[in-house]
């Protein structure tokens, strides 16, 4: 497999506040990788740097060997799709019109979308099983439906890479399942996917690899089955995490849960502490 996205010795800071440094990551063509970590660790910032929206202070990010900083906005938009956490349309476009907006990187300055662009947008919505939304106003459909429409709009760009920033944020259980199933099917089609999530269990459901972020860098990077351990999860999130396994016929399903305990007995302090407390490290 060839490396599609290469991140080398990357560092970023907001002013004097260092967010992360020494980040190294290679994402292969057609691979799905999940970025996990607590709020504020820099997951979204890393996606913004990959997309070229924020400049690195150190290191380099390259797509197929070409530095992102050397790419034009149009070139970036043609190669990298970005599905943000939240989006609000200023005008009541219907869903098909929103999806068709994904063709913008392929159009000239005053060029309008063609009939072929409209056909492509409708075909993508049909493939995603959301063609029933075509004529509905984007501002009046549910949050889960809006997220699916945004994914369809990104696919209309025909990118090689898709970045998902918390794609199931604020969604109910059913809509989370719909979005995750859509991402899984996109992965099966060979798209390169990098997504962030606050839900560690999503990594077992979707990704071939996981990168766990905390304290200004990566705690662990590698195949899900190897790095999604109780130790790594506990260090990443600053509390005790248990990994469980259930059997569904012959299939083993893994999932994790936080372990809550009284403050005076809490092992969480070993992994970063409760708010306002200093972490206590084990002597072992």
């Amino acid at each position: 497999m060839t490396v599609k996205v290469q991140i080398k010795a990357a560092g970023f800071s907001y002013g004097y506040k260092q967010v992360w440094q020494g980040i190294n990551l290679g994402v292969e063509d057609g691979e799905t990788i999940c970025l996990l970590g607590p709020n504020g660790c820099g997951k979204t910032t890393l996606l913004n740097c990959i997309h070229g929206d924020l400049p690195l202070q150190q290191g380099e990010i390259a797509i197929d060997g070409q530095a992102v900083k050397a790419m034009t906005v149009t070139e970036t938009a043609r190669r990298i799709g970005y599905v943000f956490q939240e989006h609000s349309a200023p005008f009541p476009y219907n869903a098909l019109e929103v999806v068709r907006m994904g063709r913008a990187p392929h159009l000239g300055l005053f060029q309008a979308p063609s009939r072929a662009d409209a056909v492509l947008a409708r075909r993508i919505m049909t493939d995603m099983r959301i063609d029933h939304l075509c004529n509905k106003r984007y501002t009046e459909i549910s949050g889960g439906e809006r997220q699916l429409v945004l994914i369809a709009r990104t696919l209309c760009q025909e990118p090689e890479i898709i970045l998902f920033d918390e794609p199931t944020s604020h969604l109910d259980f059913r809509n989370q399942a719909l979005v995750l199933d859509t991402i899984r099917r996109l992965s099966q089609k060979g798209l390169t996917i990098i997504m962030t999530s606050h839900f560690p269990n999503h990594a077992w459901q979707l990704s071939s690899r996981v990168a766990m972020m905390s304290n200004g860098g990566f705690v662990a990077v590698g195949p899900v089955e190897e790095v999604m351990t109780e130790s790594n999860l506990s260090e990443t999130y600053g509390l005790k995490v248990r990994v469980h396994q259930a059997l569904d016929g012959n299939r083993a399903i893994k999932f994790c849960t936080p372990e809550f305990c009284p403050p005076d007995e809490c092992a969480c302090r070993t992994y970063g502490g409760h708010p306002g407390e200093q972490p206590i490290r084990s002597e072992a």
Side-chain angles (χ1 to χ4, degrees):
M1 297 290 286
T2 58
V3 176
K4 192 72 173 177
V5 182
Q6 185 72 63
I7 304 172
K8 293 183 179 179
F12 182 86
S13 61
Y14 289 106
Y16 294 104
K17 181 183 179 182
Q18 186 80 46
V19 180
W20 32 257
Q21 60 182 346
I23 293 288
N24 292 286
L25 182 66
V27 183
E28 294 183 349
D29 191 17
E31 181 179 28
T32 296
I33 189 164
C34 188
L35 303 178
L36 298 178
N39 287 334
C41 72
K43 301 186 300 296
T44 298
T45 298
L46 181 55
L47 292 189
N48 288 335
C49 290
I50 294 171
H51 195 245
D53 301 326
L54 293 174
L56 294 174
Q57 270 74 53
Q58 304 99 31
E60 183 180 72
I61 298 175
I63 307 298
D64 289 328
Q66 181 181 3
V68 168
K69 64 183 179 182
M71 294 166 60
T72 65
V73 173
T74 299
E75 186 177 6
T76 300
R78 287 178 178 175
R79 302 181 70 180
I80 307 174
Y82 198 160
V83 181
F84 299 92
Q85 281 190 46
E86 298 179 359
H87 174 263
S88 57
F91 302 105
Y93 298 107
N94 66 39
L96 179 60
E97 289 172 324
V98 172
V99 173
R100 194 173 58 186
M101 291 176 188
R103 298 305 296 161
H106 301 275
L107 303 177
L109 183 59
F110 298 107
Q111 186 180 358
S114 66
R115 178 176 176 80
D117 293 326
V119 170
L120 175 63
R122 186 176 288 274
R123 179 176 62 77
I124 289 171
M125 294 184 74
T126 300
D127 290 346
M128 289 184 59
R129 307 167 192 166
I130 57 170
D131 49 308
H132 61 284
L133 299 175
C134 282
N135 296 317
K136 292 187 177 181
R137 291 185 177 181
Y138 179 78
T139 53
E140 296 176 359
I141 60 179
S142 72
E145 290 171 332
R146 280 199 300 271
Q147 193 73 326
L148 291 171
V149 168
L150 290 180
I151 293 173
R153 184 184 70 172
T154 300
L155 289 175
C156 215
Q157 294 175 223
E158 298 184 297
E160 304 161 15
I161 302 160
I162 300 183
L163 311 177
F164 288 95
D165 188 18
E166 302 290 345
T168 61
S169 179
H170 311 305
L171 300 184
D172 63 26
F173 190 68
R174 178 180 181 277
N175 283 317
Q176 284 189 37
L178 286 173
V179 170
L180 290 175
D181 181 61
T182 299
I183 295 172
R184 183 185 299 109
R185 286 189 284 117
L186 295 177
S187 175
Q188 291 170 349
K189 290 182 177 180
L191 281 165
T192 302
I193 295 173
I194 304 174
M195 65 171 280
T196 68
S197 179
H198 282 307
F199 302 99
N201 292 325
H202 289 174
W204 274 299
Q205 292 178 264
L206 290 176
S207 60
S208 56
R209 281 204 306 153
V210 62
M212 306 170 77
M213 299 184 71
S214 186
N215 299 319
F218 286 143
V219 172
V221 178
V224 175
E225 294 300 324
E226 293 181 13
V227 303
M228 290 281 283
T229 64
E230 291 184 348
S231 175
N232 286 337
L233 286 163
S234 297
E235 183 177 351
T236 298
Y237 290 101
L239 81 166
K240 187 66 177 178
V241 178
R242 292 293 187 191
V243 175
H244 311 275
Q245 182 170 293
L247 292 177
D248 180 14
N250 294 325
R251 184 169 65 108
I253 301 172
K254 284 190 175 182
F255 61 97
C256 64
T257 59
E259 183 176 275
F260 298 100
C261 47
D264 57 341
E265 302 175 8
C266 189
C268 301
R269 298 178 68 192
T270 302
Y271 301 101
H274 294 286
E277 291 186 337
Q278 292 295 318
I280 298 176
R281 298 297 177 186
S282 171
E283 294 294 330

